[in-house]
Amino acid sequence: MKIHTTNYENTFIEIADDSPASAGEVPPVKGDNKTVASIQFDMVRKNPYKFTSDDVLFHVFAERKDLTENELEEARKAFFSKGQACFRASPLTKRYGWGVHSNAEGKIAIYGSETEEYQKLKNDKNIKVLKAMKSAR
């Protein structure tokens, strides 16, 4: 079984051109249910450069499916046996104004589009810079 990945190395994902956010915004929680954006935000914001994109995206899937500890290993293999959307399609980069930086080990951190760090990463010639996907076609 082929295993796919969403991980990047030495890459910065800028916010989408059509993002309505002019600065990094904390994604809202809807009632008792965390949204995909709020789960991603909490995990990455509290743990910069601790997790890869694959780790975060699978954690969101596992939390939303309410998987048990015993189900995780097999579920992760099945999850990545198919291609998954990367952080270029994340609501953080498309809607909420957060850029995503992947370091040399593929670990990620987020930076609000209003920050000096965001601008430095966006203009860094030593890393690959990609745009998040637009919401509209």
Side-chain angles (χ1 to χ4, degrees), residues 67 111 123 133:
L67 298 179
Y111 296 93
N123 297 310
M133 295 178 180

PDB file of all heavy atoms in Angstrom, residues 67 111 123 133:
ATOM      1  N   LEU A  67     -11.713   8.343  17.289  1.00  0.00           N
ATOM      2  CA  LEU A  67     -11.005   7.064  17.262  1.00  0.00           C
ATOM      3  C   LEU A  67     -10.373   6.761  18.618  1.00  0.00           C
ATOM      4  O   LEU A  67      -9.941   7.663  19.327  1.00  0.00           O
ATOM      5  CB  LEU A  67      -9.906   7.083  16.197  1.00  0.00           C
ATOM      6  CG  LEU A  67     -10.359   7.278  14.752  1.00  0.00           C
ATOM      7  CD1 LEU A  67      -9.160   7.300  13.813  1.00  0.00           C
ATOM      8  CD2 LEU A  67     -11.349   6.204  14.336  1.00  0.00           C
ATOM      9  N   TYR A 111       2.191  31.613  11.502  1.00  0.00           N
ATOM     10  CA  TYR A 111       2.489  33.028  11.715  1.00  0.00           C
ATOM     11  C   TYR A 111       1.372  33.866  11.115  1.00  0.00           C
ATOM     12  O   TYR A 111       0.989  33.657   9.957  1.00  0.00           O
ATOM     13  CB  TYR A 111       3.820  33.400  11.038  1.00  0.00           C
ATOM     14  CG  TYR A 111       4.988  32.664  11.645  1.00  0.00           C
ATOM     15  CD1 TYR A 111       5.436  31.460  11.112  1.00  0.00           C
ATOM     16  CD2 TYR A 111       5.621  33.163  12.777  1.00  0.00           C
ATOM     17  CE1 TYR A 111       6.494  30.772  11.685  1.00  0.00           C
ATOM     18  CE2 TYR A 111       6.685  32.479  13.362  1.00  0.00           C
ATOM     19  CZ  TYR A 111       7.109  31.283  12.812  1.00  0.00           C
ATOM     20  OH  TYR A 111       8.146  30.602  13.390  1.00  0.00           O
ATOM     21  N   ASN A 123       9.527  36.410   2.185  1.00  0.00           N
ATOM     22  CA  ASN A 123      10.578  36.955   1.327  1.00  0.00           C
ATOM     23  C   ASN A 123      11.903  36.209   1.415  1.00  0.00           C
ATOM     24  O   ASN A 123      12.894  36.645   0.821  1.00  0.00           O
ATOM     25  CB  ASN A 123      10.785  38.436   1.668  1.00  0.00           C
ATOM     26  CG  ASN A 123       9.542  39.249   1.373  1.00  0.00           C
ATOM     27  OD1 ASN A 123       8.982  39.150   0.291  1.00  0.00           O
ATOM     28  ND2 ASN A 123       9.087  40.029   2.339  1.00  0.00           N
ATOM     29  N   MET A 133      -4.356  27.801  -1.454  1.00  0.00           N
ATOM     30  CA  MET A 133      -5.341  27.730  -2.533  1.00  0.00           C
ATOM     31  C   MET A 133      -6.448  28.752  -2.312  1.00  0.00           C
ATOM     32  O   MET A 133      -6.865  28.970  -1.189  1.00  0.00           O
ATOM     33  CB  MET A 133      -5.921  26.321  -2.606  1.00  0.00           C
ATOM     34  CG  MET A 133      -4.887  25.304  -2.988  1.00  0.00           C
ATOM     35  SD  MET A 133      -5.611  23.667  -2.993  1.00  0.00           S
ATOM     36  CE  MET A 133      -4.183  22.715  -3.462  1.00  0.00           C
TER      37      MET A 133
END
